[in-house]
Amino acid sequence: MRVLAAEVKNHLNTEVEVKGWVQAIRTGGSIAFIDLRDVSGHVQCVVAKKENASIFEELRTLSRESVIEAKGKAVESQAKQGYEIQVNKFKILNKSLAPLPLGVVDMVDSDIETRLENRFLDLRKPKILSIFKVQDTISRAVRQYFHQNGFIEVRTPKIVAAATEGGTELFPVKYFDRSAYLSQSPQLYKEIMMSAGFDRVFEIAPAFRAEEHNTTRHLNEFTSIDIEMSFVDDEEAMRVLEEVIKVSSKMVIEENSKELELLGITSPKTDYSFKKISYAECVKIANDKGIKVDDGEDLSTPALKAIGEGLNEFYFITRWPRKLKPFYVQPFDEKYSRGFDLQFGEVEITSGAQRVHNPEILIKNLEAKGLNVESFEFYIKAFQYGMPPHAGWAIGLERLTMVLLNLQNIREATLFPRDRTRITP
Ligand code: ATP
């Protein structure tokens, strides 16, 4: 039976079979040492010429990263790990070409373009694999939280007829004889689900944004974790968000200590405070620190840097001016809204809000933003036959991974990033 490399230590003095990649190989006159790597880690396999005569010569020229299987006895040894496999049966399953376009165990760091170009090799690096093991834990934690708290998982269409916010960041697609777009957000549909009486929904799905700028925080396709809840306000939506982040970082700490260590995170933070700072206070903080922000103006990256400075932390920015938030955000008063963002330093992680539920206010807001009310008819209709008050938010899975793991580029948190210049692999 196949045993994973990391589990060999639990099978000492028994026969085991391992399968994986040749991470390193050293051959001498009568013995070969192979470091075999699989998804769990690596293990040393010792192949003696006298027991594997037919294959031994082939090992002399076997290229790194070839796929092999080996059977033998697991024994304690002088190997670094304190044990090894004394191979009695060995098979090469598939050879790798050489030289490798990208080293898997080399100490030198390659540039991100070469890494992404050869992503399948890059992902073989234990450190890079760790990012995605952590991301798996985050999505599992989030799903578990939602299911334990009465949310129904939904799937809304990704081909849509109208823009969510009337923005220009849309990818057009040809839909038979009509034009359509790839969905930039499930916003309108998750709100319709509130009118449909589902009470609380969540969706984890791709969102597409045709943003022209190539930054370390933007992808053209990202994974959006969206929720919407009926009969709650912005405060409750923020409380749920805080909990979701706390449970996911807790699960990562509990389940991914090995991965965190590989990623250089030795003492992960557990005591986030989720301070709430109003937009008006933010403007004052930025101005006091010499970054000029006019009242009513969006907060620039330098302003957000100044506000987040010294706060190695998540914090909310609340009570945004109505004119800076989309038409579906519930007003707080004449000037401000019930929209909020969650930040980590200068990086925006989430935006959310209590939404408008009154159809007349909705139509007024659409008109005020210069949007075509007709193209939102299917959405407005859901408000005209009994729409409950509701609130929700959207968090980017890659951005969350990025801040929890202190990654400098969002591409690191995406298997195959889609950016301004890259659509393969
Ligand atoms: P930003 O101002 O950073 O461009 P946004 O205001 O366009 O973000 P929203 O539309 O509010 O973002 O989307 C909600 C969340 O989805 C963001 O907080 C972020 O976590 C994620 N997100 C949005 N756009 C992108 C993108 N292009 N790449 C990766 N994640 C994104």
Side-chain angles (χ1 to χ4, degrees):
M1 202 191 60
R2 182 182 172 214
V3 168
L4 288 174
E7 286 161 14
V8 171
K9 61 175 180 293
N10 305 324
H11 298 268
L12 291 183
N13 301 314
T14 65
E15 286 281 310
V16 294
E17 182 182 31
V18 287
K19 300 182 193 224
W21 286 259
V22 174
Q23 179 158 286
I25 179 163
R26 253 181 323 124
T27 44
S30 59
I31 204 159
F33 295 98
I34 297 174
D35 201 11
L36 175 145
R37 185 192 65 248
D38 66 18
V39 71
S40 69
H42 64 112
V43 64
Q44 173 162 293
C45 300
V46 184
V47 187
K49 187 174 178 177
K50 66 175 190 315
E51 293 201 47
N52 298 272
S54 61
I55 206 155
F56 201 82
E57 282 315 305
E58 254 193 276
L59 289 188
R60 292 191 194 281
T61 54
L62 184 62
S63 42
R64 284 192 298 161
E65 298 303 319
S66 295
V67 181
I68 55 166
E69 66 179 34
K71 263 189 196 159
K73 195 171 171 190
V75 294
E76 282 186 41
S77 80
Q78 304 291 318
K80 238 195 224 153
Q81 290 169 305
Y83 56 89
E84 64 189 21
I85 300 170
Q86 284 173 350
V87 177
N88 52 42
K89 215 166 160 205
F90 187 91
K91 206 164 148 192
I92 298 169
L93 299 177
N94 227 336
K95 286 185 183 172
S96 165
L97 289 177
L100 296 167
L102 180 79
V104 175
V105 283
D106 304 334
M107 297 309 276
V108 276
D109 277 341
S110 310
D111 62 276
I112 185 105
E113 283 304 309
T114 312
R115 288 178 44 209
L116 292 177
E117 210 45 60
N118 300 284
R119 191 63 158 158
F120 66 97
L121 280 173
D122 189 47
L123 293 166
R124 286 186 197 172
K125 298 175 189 163
K127 186 173 162 181
I128 308 298
L129 168 63
S130 294
I131 297 172
F132 296 95
K133 284 188 178 170
V134 169
Q135 195 170 70
D136 170 61
T137 307
I138 298 171
S139 38
R140 196 151 28 89
V142 163
R143 267 215 166 79
Q144 187 179 312
Y145 175 88
F146 290 147
H147 283 138
Q148 285 169 350
N149 287 276
F151 287 79
I152 300 175
E153 181 167 13
V154 297
R155 289 165 215 289
T156 64
K158 300 305 154 211
I159 301 176
V160 296
T164 309
E165 299 176 27
T168 51
E169 298 167 344
L170 288 166
F171 286 112
V173 291
K174 223 169 127 287
Y175 194 75
F176 305 108
D177 52 352
R178 294 155 62 180
S179 61
Y181 304 96
L182 293 180
S183 165
Q184 62 183 159
S185 151
Q187 183 64 35
L188 308 185
Y189 289 96
K190 62 181 183 172
E191 289 194 69
I192 293 175
M193 293 316 293
M194 298 300 99
S195 174
F198 276 42
D199 200 71
R200 292 172 161 218
V201 299
F202 79 98
E203 178 167 14
I204 303 178
F208 305 91
R209 304 268 169 105
E211 342 217 13
E212 293 278 346
H213 44 303
N214 223 1
T215 78
T216 51
R217 291 208 285 278
H218 290 90
L219 295 163
N220 294 105
E221 174 177 350
F222 68 95
T223 306
S224 188
I225 304 174
D226 271 86
I227 72 158
E228 205 63 35
M229 298 184 281
S230 288
F231 307 108
V232 305
D233 62 7
D234 45 338
E235 290 297 328
E236 176 63 6
M238 282 188 269
R239 192 191 64 76
V240 168
L241 177 54
E242 195 177 317
E243 270 189 19
V244 163
I245 291 188
K246 282 183 175 159
V247 297
S248 24
S249 67
K250 185 162 170 271
M251 196 185 276
V252 167
I253 291 167
E254 281 167 5
E255 298 192 6
N256 296 109
S257 56
K258 193 177 122 199
E259 286 74 27
L260 290 176
E261 200 184 309
L262 270 170
L263 290 161
I265 300 171
T266 44
S267 46
K269 200 170 155 78
T270 49
D271 53 341
Y272 297 112
S273 68
F274 291 88
K275 222 168 130 178
K276 286 180 185 146
I277 313 175
S278 70
Y279 165 87
E281 286 173 81
C282 287
V283 170
K284 188 170 175 322
I285 295 169
N287 282 324
D288 286 351
K289 292 191 174 178
I291 312 287
K292 186 155 164 33
V293 182
D294 289 329
D295 185 28
E297 185 193 357
D298 204 358
L299 300 172
S300 63
T301 303
L304 289 169
K305 267 196 179 130
I307 297 156
E309 195 177 69
L311 269 180
N312 183 27
E313 238 305 16
F314 291 100
Y315 61 95
F316 287 104
I317 302 180
T318 60
R319 300 276 179 270
W320 283 81
R322 286 169 60 172
K323 75 175 184 43
L324 293 179
K325 285 286 169 193
F327 65 86
Y328 49 77
V329 171
Q330 174 84 357
F332 176 72
D333 57 21
E334 268 310 300
K335 182 170 173 188
Y336 295 109
S337 74
R338 289 187 179 273
F340 59 85
D341 283 359
L342 182 72
Q343 297 279 138
F344 192 104
E346 79 258 27
V347 185
E348 180 198 310
I349 305 296
T350 313
S351 60
Q354 181 178 335
R355 325 294 191 185
V356 172
H357 56 276
N358 176 316
E360 274 114 59
I361 298 177
L362 195 65
I363 293 168
K364 250 192 223 151
N365 282 1
L366 278 164
E367 284 166 351
K369 300 265 179 195
L371 293 164
N372 179 3
V373 176
E374 253 168 49
S375 59
F376 288 89
E377 220 166 304
F378 73 97
Y379 166 72
I380 298 167
K381 199 171 170 188
F383 287 68
Q384 289 167 328
Y385 297 87
M387 171 64 96
H390 56 283
W393 44 254
I395 184 165
L397 175 62
E398 297 85 358
R399 286 218 191 149
L400 179 59
T401 310
M402 192 181 165
V403 302
L404 288 180
L405 295 181
N406 195 20
L407 305 171
Q408 302 308 310
N409 190 331
I410 194 163
R411 290 164 185 77
E412 298 279 4
T414 319
L415 286 176
F416 301 103
R418 293 292 171 257
D419 63 24
R420 184 70 181 80
T421 54
R422 181 173 290 284
I423 40 170
T424 58

